[in-house]
């Protein structure tokens, strides 16, 4: 009987699945009175008796022990060798049936794809009663299964005969080099053409960057395209998805080019957060690091090495102990700023990315590029300003779901699922962007948000300066009675620290701000009252 299927690394291919069926037919004949047989998967190694359903599921999930070539525990007779004919140091071939096989695949690409596949199959292994039906359903109807099977098939094809790399591994490394060195698509096209000429016949190398990215499409996570109003009034999303005009300003959703081709006025690109957070735990290399802040961090009084050492983190744990109990719950910072993607200051264009940083990771990893997750890419040509709330709505909605309901996530390091929640604890931005996100104007006499209504400012020529720094000094400090700072004494106490409830009460008095960018809007300038203080809107973060 052909048993080459036992050595296949692709556990989702037809040959491997047919091999499992042939093994199960043999195993059924030697089940004991309780209908149990030894399980030959790489985890059990014939050491444990399992039901036939469980054995089949284990073979699909873990693979069969490759050294178990003689099925002596499943109906086959062992081969005996005459000891007199054995040389010193030789071993009967059937002895390999009793050796434990726990070898790891060295191919990183196979490990990556199998890590992606394992959480998809977890639901099938949670119940013994319907495990066979669940496994078959996953293999027959699941789109993710077909995706992983296709990737494993690509990973199994050599780049060319006798090559150590598969075409998939080669393309992943090449695109990584492209990103690190900022190579253009045209440059990669030229490199691919040269390599195709240099490699032997039969190479499976793609010809263009477009074809290369198509090969990698299933490894990525993708994004959603959401149309937006030209004047940043609203998104054509959810309840407004079918509209052709903006409800606020009446501007058309599409502009027409060429042969009346419909082109959206603005396009927001939204990168869903849940699968990206789950991907951090799917990787066996980063899943442990996501618990570093609780399991490996060395806490010393008075030493700040990580945000977990700060007062904000500790206060959050005190207020929400249910969140702090699960070390895998994710705490993030949100960073945003605008930039010109063309690098040409004469070309007036501003695009705003919103990036999330997971602070569960150790400090030498959390601020590195591979772990920063782009959540939104807000289009130009002008900065969104205080209308940024329109664009962050998809992110806010998903953050609310992650806080209130969470999401089932597979942890590759513990091989278990847990209910993951997430929260944004900080924002990282410059002062103007702080005004856009918070809703507190960073201009004028009360621009400093910490002092709130007690801001100390004065006008010097054409500039507004904020001079009340000495209020934070202890009473009786010699600098308070010195005129060398601004020519006056300082006797005022430090500004009051406003609690969250007090801030919310201030925001209740704010008039609803309408979009101001549409030239036809009669109320472009929002009516301002003294009770508004320096608030311009109630931010989505509140």
């Amino acid at each position: 009987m052909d048993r080459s299927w036992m050595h296949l690394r692709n556990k989702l291919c037809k040959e491997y699945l047919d091999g499992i069926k042939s093994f199960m037919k043999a195993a059924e004949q030697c089940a004991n009175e309780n209908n149990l047989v030894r399980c030959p998967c790489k985890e059990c190694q014939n050491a444990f008796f399992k039901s036939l359903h469980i054995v089949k599921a284990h073979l699909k999930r873990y693979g069969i022990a490759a050294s178990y070539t003689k099925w002596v525990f499943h109906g086959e007779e062992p081969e005996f060798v005459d000891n007199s004919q054995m040389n010193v140091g030789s071993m009967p071939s059937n002895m390999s049936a009793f050796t434990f096989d726990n070898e790891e695949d060295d191919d990183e690409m196979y490990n990556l794809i199998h890590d992606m596949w394992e959480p998809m199959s977890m639901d099938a292994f949670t119940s013994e009663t319907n495990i066979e039906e669940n496994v078959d359903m996953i293999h027959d109807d699941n789109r993710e299964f077909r995706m992983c099977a296709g990737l494993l098939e690509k990973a199994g094809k050599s780049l060319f005969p006798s090559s150590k790399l598969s075409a998939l591994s080669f393309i992943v490394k090449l695109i990584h080099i492209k990103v690190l060195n900022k190579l253009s698509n045209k440059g990669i096209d030229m490199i691919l053409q040269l390599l195709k000429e240099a490699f032997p016949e039969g190479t499976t190398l793609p010809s263009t960057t477009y074809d290369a990215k198509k090969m990698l499409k299933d490894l990525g996570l993708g994004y959603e395209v959401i149309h937006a109003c030209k004047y940043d009034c609203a998104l054509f999303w959810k309840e407004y998805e079918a509209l052709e005009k903006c409800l606020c300003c009446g501007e058309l959703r599409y502009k027409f080019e060429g042969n009346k081709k419909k082109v959206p006025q603005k396009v927001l690109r939204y990168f869903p957060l849940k699968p990206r957070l789950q991907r951090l735990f799917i990787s066996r290399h980063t899943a442990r690091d996501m618990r570093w802040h609780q399991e490996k961090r060395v806490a010393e009084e008075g030493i700040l090495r990580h945000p977990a050492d700060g007062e904000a983190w500790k206060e959050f744990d005190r207020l929400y102990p249910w969140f702090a109990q699960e070390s895998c719950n994710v705490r993030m910072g949100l960073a945003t700023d605008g930039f010109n993607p063309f690098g040409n200051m004469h070309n007036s264009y501003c695009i705003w990315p919103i990036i999330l940083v997971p602070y569960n990771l150790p400090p030498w990893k959390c601020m590195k590029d591979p772990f920063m997750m782009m959540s939104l890419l807000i289009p130009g040509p002008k900065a969104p300003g205080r209308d940024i709330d329109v664009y962050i709505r998809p992110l806010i909605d998903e953050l609310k779901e992650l806080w209130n309901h969470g999401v089932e996530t597979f942890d590759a390091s513990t091989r278990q699922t847990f209910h993951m929640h997430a929260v944004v604890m900080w924002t990282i931005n410059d002062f103007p962007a702080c005004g856009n996100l918070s809703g507190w104007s960073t201009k004028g006499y009360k621009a400093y948000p910490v002092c709130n209504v007690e801001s100390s400012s004065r006008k010097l020529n054409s500039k507004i300066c904020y001079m009340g720094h000495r209020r934070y000094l202890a009473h009786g400090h010699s600098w308070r009675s010195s005129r060398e700072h601004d020519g006056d004494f300082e006797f005022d106490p430090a500004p009051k620290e406003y609690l969250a409830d007090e801030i919310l009460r201030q925001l209740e008095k704010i008039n609803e701000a309408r979009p101001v960018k549409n030239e036809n809007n009669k109320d472009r300038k929002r009516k301002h009252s003294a009770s508004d203080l320096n608030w311009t809107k109630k931010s989505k973060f509140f």
Side-chain angles (χ1 to χ4, degrees):
M1 184 185 296
D2 180 23
R3 293 179 184 170
S4 58
W5 62 273
M6 297 173 59
H7 304 281
L8 294 173
R9 291 182 293 182
N10 183 355
K11 297 194 288 288
L12 307 180
C13 66
K14 184 177 183 301
E15 292 80 3
Y16 187 86
L17 297 177
D18 290 342
I20 289 179
K21 290 180 181 178
S22 65
F23 172 82
M24 293 307 299
K25 287 181 181 178
E28 288 173 2
Q29 305 301 320
C30 57
N32 61 18
E33 62 275 9
N34 296 321
N35 205 28
L36 301 177
V37 295
R38 290 182 183 268
C39 181
C41 74
K42 289 183 179 180
E43 292 290 316
C44 298
Q45 301 281 359
N46 283 314
F48 305 102
F49 285 89
K50 304 284 184 181
S51 68
L52 292 170
H53 291 167
I54 294 293
V55 170
K56 182 178 180 181
H58 277 205
L59 294 179
K60 289 183 177 182
R61 181 181 180 187
Y62 303 118
I64 191 169
S67 59
Y68 186 50
T69 55
K70 195 70 175 175
W71 299 344
V72 294
F73 296 119
H74 300 88
E76 293 191 356
E77 293 293 330
E79 295 178 2
F80 296 99
V81 179
D82 187 356
N83 290 339
S84 62
Q85 298 178 358
M86 288 177 60
N87 297 323
V88 177
S90 65
M91 183 178 70
S93 60
N94 68 296
M95 285 297 290
S96 62
F98 301 95
T99 60
F100 278 51
D101 178 32
N102 195 25
E103 296 180 0
E104 292 284 340
D105 253 333
D106 292 330
D107 193 316
E108 293 181 4
M109 189 54 58
Y110 270 94
N111 289 338
L112 171 64
I113 299 169
H114 278 298
D115 280 346
M116 292 171 58
W117 155 248
E118 188 162 10
M120 299 175 198
S121 62
M122 282 300 296
D123 291 341
F125 309 119
T126 56
S127 171
E128 293 192 18
T129 58
N130 62 346
I131 191 166
E132 187 173 22
E133 291 80 1
N134 287 347
V135 170
D136 291 338
M137 179 187 67
I138 283 178
H139 284 72
D140 294 337
D141 302 327
N142 195 286
R143 185 184 65 82
E144 285 85 1
F145 164 75
R146 293 195 296 271
M147 177 192 74
C148 287
L151 286 171
L152 285 168
E153 184 180 355
K154 293 175 187 176
K157 291 182 179 179
S158 297
L159 184 59
F160 55 82
S162 74
S163 170
K164 294 181 179 179
L165 285 175
S166 67
L168 188 63
S169 298
F170 182 85
I171 292 301
V172 167
K173 295 177 186 294
L174 182 64
I175 296 298
H176 189 208
I177 293 171
K178 173 187 185 300
V179 173
L180 290 178
N181 295 281
K182 301 179 181 178
L183 301 178
S184 66
N185 289 350
K186 185 177 180 181
I188 295 296
D189 288 346
M190 296 172 70
I191 292 172
L192 288 172
Q193 290 292 343
L194 178 62
L195 291 175
K196 204 152 189 177
E197 292 177 11
F199 287 167
E201 280 190 36
T203 179
T204 56
L205 193 68
S207 303
T208 63
T209 308
Y210 177 76
D211 294 335
K213 288 182 178 179
K214 281 177 64 177
M215 288 182 64
L216 305 181
K217 180 179 64 174
D218 292 332
L219 281 177
L221 294 169
Y223 59 87
E224 296 179 17
V225 172
I226 302 174
H227 297 172
C229 173
K230 178 181 179 180
Y231 296 111
D232 303 333
C233 302
L235 297 178
F236 296 98
W237 185 62
K238 285 192 174 179
E239 67 270 25
Y240 304 130
E241 188 172 3
L243 296 181
E244 294 291 326
K245 289 184 179 181
C246 176
L247 285 177
C248 296
C249 66
E251 186 68 26
L252 291 174
R253 176 176 182 173
Y254 298 99
K255 56 186 176 182
F256 296 91
E257 294 182 357
N259 299 325
K260 294 188 177 181
K261 181 182 178 182
K262 294 169 67 174
V263 178
Q265 299 272 15
K266 275 189 175 182
V267 173
L268 169 70
R269 287 167 175 83
Y270 174 55
F271 302 80
L273 181 58
K274 290 177 186 175
R276 282 163 174 78
L277 293 178
Q278 289 174 319
R279 182 65 64 92
L280 291 173
F281 292 95
I282 287 176
S283 169
R284 65 191 76 178
H285 304 296
T286 58
R288 292 188 185 91
D289 287 335
M290 290 298 288
R291 300 191 300 274
W292 178 92
H293 66 95
Q294 184 165 317
E295 296 180 356
K296 295 186 178 180
R297 178 178 59 90
V298 178
E300 292 184 42
E301 190 66 30
I303 303 296
L304 181 64
R305 298 190 182 95
H306 186 269
D309 298 320
E311 292 300 322
W313 190 296
K314 295 173 183 177
E315 178 67 11
F316 186 86
D317 286 351
R318 186 186 67 80
L319 292 174
Y320 305 101
W322 65 267
F323 190 95
Q325 285 175 359
E326 176 56 75
S327 60
C328 291
N329 285 337
V330 185
R331 308 171 198 235
M332 298 175 289
L334 182 147
T336 185
D337 201 1
F339 71 99
N340 188 337
F342 305 110
N344 182 1
M345 298 307 294
H346 298 288
N347 188 346
S348 179
Y349 195 96
C350 186
I351 192 169
W352 281 64
I354 292 183
I355 296 172
L356 294 169
V357 181
Y359 283 121
N360 291 43
L361 295 167
W364 55 89
K365 285 187 176 182
C366 64
M367 297 302 291
K368 298 297 183 182
D369 289 351
F371 301 104
M372 292 185 180
M373 297 172 287
M374 182 181 292
S375 177
L376 294 163
L377 193 59
I378 302 174
K382 295 182 180 180
R386 68 169 184 247
D387 295 329
I388 195 171
D389 283 2
V390 171
Y391 291 100
I392 65 174
R393 182 191 164 191
L395 174 60
I396 296 296
D397 286 357
E398 191 169 15
L399 286 171
K400 287 179 179 177
E401 291 179 19
L402 284 168
W403 174 260
N404 294 322
H405 308 295
V407 59
E408 286 294 326
T409 304
F410 174 75
D411 188 334
S413 62
T414 61
R415 304 180 75 89
Q416 295 178 350
T417 58
F418 68 98
H419 209 66
M420 178 184 66
H421 295 265
V423 64
V424 170
M425 294 187 64
W426 298 278
T427 60
I428 308 168
N429 39 253
D430 58 14
F431 207 42
C434 175
N436 294 337
L437 289 173
S438 67
W440 181 274
S441 175
T442 52
K443 300 173 184 177
Y445 288 98
K446 297 178 181 178
Y448 191 49
V450 174
C451 293
N452 202 278
V453 70
E454 301 178 45
S455 294
S456 174
S457 57
R458 66 179 64 175
K459 191 169 185 177
L460 300 178
N461 293 329
S462 61
K463 302 291 185 182
I464 298 176
C465 300
Y466 308 94
M467 310 295 293
H469 309 90
R470 290 182 294 168
R471 292 182 296 172
Y472 292 94
L473 295 174
H475 288 286
H477 197 284
S478 59
W479 286 4
R480 279 182 170 267
S481 58
S482 171
R483 294 180 182 271
E484 294 181 2
H485 179 64
D486 59 359
D488 204 351
F489 300 119
E490 181 62 76
F491 297 114
D492 292 337
K496 172 185 176 181
E497 291 187 10
Y498 285 82
L499 301 176
D501 291 340
E502 295 174 303
I503 296 294
L504 291 175
R505 280 197 292 270
Q506 290 181 1
L507 289 169
E508 288 174 359
K509 303 175 183 179
I510 304 298
N511 295 324
E512 184 68 26
R514 293 189 62 189
V516 299
K517 294 179 181 175
N518 189 347
E519 297 175 356
N520 299 322
N521 187 2
K522 296 178 181 179
D523 299 327
R524 292 188 68 191
K525 188 172 181 64
R526 186 177 66 88
K527 296 177 181 179
H528 189 83
S529 63
S531 62
D532 290 350
L533 302 176
N534 234 40
W535 294 108
T536 61
K537 64 176 182 178
K538 184 175 181 179
S539 172
K540 283 282 186 184
F541 287 103
F542 295 107

